[in-house]
Amino acid sequence: MNASQGWKPLEADGQREAASHREPGEEFLFYRSVAAGMIDAVQENCSRGAFENLEGAGQLSDNPVTNLRYHFIVTAAMLARFCMEGGMAMEEAFSLSDEYIRRMDCCNNMAEIVYVHDQMALDYVCRMRNLKKRVASSKQVAEAIDYIYVHIMDRITIQDLASAICVSPAHLSRIFKQETGVSVSEYIRQRKIDMAKNLLRFSDYDFADIAAMLSYSSQSHFIQHFRSQTGMTPKAYRNKNYLNNWNVNRESSFQEGGWSHG
């Protein structure tokens, strides 16, 4: 008998079928925050215990510790892929994932697994922060980029930025353009639009909320900036991209042979 003759579609039992799965938006915002080097956002996610709160995340095992282990492996795989997309070398991303999965495998309880998860997330995000700063050769430009990432939700002026790193606005403008190829204001706009893309793809916030969160003066100002950077309105971007990565990443992972990367 060949395999196709013996195959039947999986039928979930009544209890499993009744369980609802939450939308993956929050998880994807977490992965994107790590890949963007947003240390504060990742620390906040870890400090409120987001990883161990598995309500709606899917039950992969009836054993709570084993269930958390499986979710850890999924998280490690996703972090590796998102960070590679953000510029991390493939070998570094996969080696980190492998190492933290090995550490998790030595854990005896849920608290230890959560601790290793948080260490893994902070390791990835710190590496990504440093990677983002390597585009700048001078200490002053690196500090400016660091300030922008930390305060991306705030209204950032070149005067504020220059004052924070103890240089004149004129000097900062000159060296920043020399080393990054764009002006300070353009760099800030790009990073804000990057964050807006994440919120449009992985959250249900409306455009007015996103504009306010990113400290735009108005919703129309946000829409104007978004269109100038992307060539489309926030509405068109969300319609095209909302949660698409969930299915794309899942399908491509299976096509490549599952989550394993050994």
Side-chain angles (χ1 to χ4, degrees):
M1 182 178 70
N2 61 38
S4 62
Q5 291 174 324
W7 176 84
K8 291 182 180 180
L10 179 66
E11 295 182 6
D13 61 38
Q15 182 179 3
R16 292 282 186 270
E17 203 167 17
S20 60
H21 287 70
R22 66 192 181 201
E23 292 287 355
E26 182 177 354
E27 285 87 347
F28 277 105
L29 277 174
F30 170 69
Y31 302 145
R32 288 291 182 188
S33 295
V34 172
M38 300 180 66
I39 294 177
D40 288 354
V42 173
Q43 286 179 327
E44 189 276 332
N45 183 283
C46 294
S47 66
R48 63 183 169 85
F51 170 66
E52 59 193 297
N53 179 16
L54 296 179
E55 182 179 355
Q59 186 172 343
L60 307 179
S61 171
D62 290 330
N63 183 299
V65 175
T66 303
N67 187 48
L68 195 63
R69 289 187 193 278
Y70 290 152
H71 280 284
F72 183 105
I73 293 169
V74 171
T75 299
M78 295 298 283
L79 287 178
R81 282 160 173 75
F82 272 74
C83 288
M84 282 191 295
E85 183 182 291
M88 182 179 283
M90 180 181 71
E91 185 59 36
E92 180 181 6
F94 281 157
S95 294
L96 274 178
S97 175
D98 292 341
E99 174 60 27
Y100 279 103
I101 289 172
R102 282 193 292 267
R103 293 186 185 184
M104 179 275 296
D105 197 44
C106 297
C107 295
N108 297 311
N109 55 56
M110 295 177 70
E112 291 177 357
I113 294 172
V114 170
Y115 175 79
V116 175
H117 165 273
D118 292 352
Q119 293 301 304
M120 174 177 67
L122 292 171
D123 195 349
Y124 270 111
V125 74
C126 287
R127 288 169 186 258
M128 291 305 296
R129 171 70 69 83
N130 290 333
L131 181 64
K132 302 293 183 184
K133 289 162 62 176
R134 282 179 208 149
V135 299
S137 59
S138 75
K139 181 175 182 289
Q140 290 170 335
V141 174
E143 288 177 346
I145 290 174
D146 199 40
Y147 182 95
I148 290 168
Y149 272 97
V150 170
H151 297 87
I152 196 61
M153 296 295 195
D154 302 330
R155 181 177 179 271
I156 307 171
T157 67
I158 190 167
Q159 289 76 17
D160 294 335
L161 189 53
S163 176
I165 64 173
C166 302
V167 298
S168 71
H171 177 71
L172 176 60
S173 295
R174 180 176 58 79
I175 63 173
F176 198 97
K177 181 68 178 289
Q178 284 178 347
E179 296 184 22
T180 67
V182 296
S183 67
V184 173
S185 58
E186 178 62 18
Y187 188 88
I188 293 170
R189 279 195 293 269
Q190 290 174 356
R191 301 292 76 78
K192 283 185 177 288
I193 295 304
D194 286 344
M195 177 55 65
K197 287 178 180 178
N198 291 338
L199 292 167
L200 289 167
R201 291 167 70 181
F202 307 124
S203 80
D204 294 320
Y205 290 117
D206 63 31
F207 308 139
D209 288 338
I210 293 174
M213 289 169 67
L214 292 171
S215 299
Y216 281 95
S217 58
S218 66
Q219 180 178 334
S220 62
H221 190 209
F222 162 61
I223 292 172
Q224 178 187 358
H225 269 187
F226 193 92
R227 182 183 289 169
S228 70
Q229 292 286 331
T230 67
M232 63 177 71
T233 64
K235 183 177 188 298
Y237 185 88
R238 171 169 276 170
N239 289 343
K240 181 179 179 181
N241 296 282
Y242 182 64
L243 293 179
N244 269 1
N245 268 6
W246 172 245
N247 291 324
V248 170
N249 282 333
R250 180 170 59 178
E251 290 170 7
S252 64
S253 296
F254 282 118
Q255 290 167 2
E256 294 168 5
W259 290 113
S260 174
H261 53 262

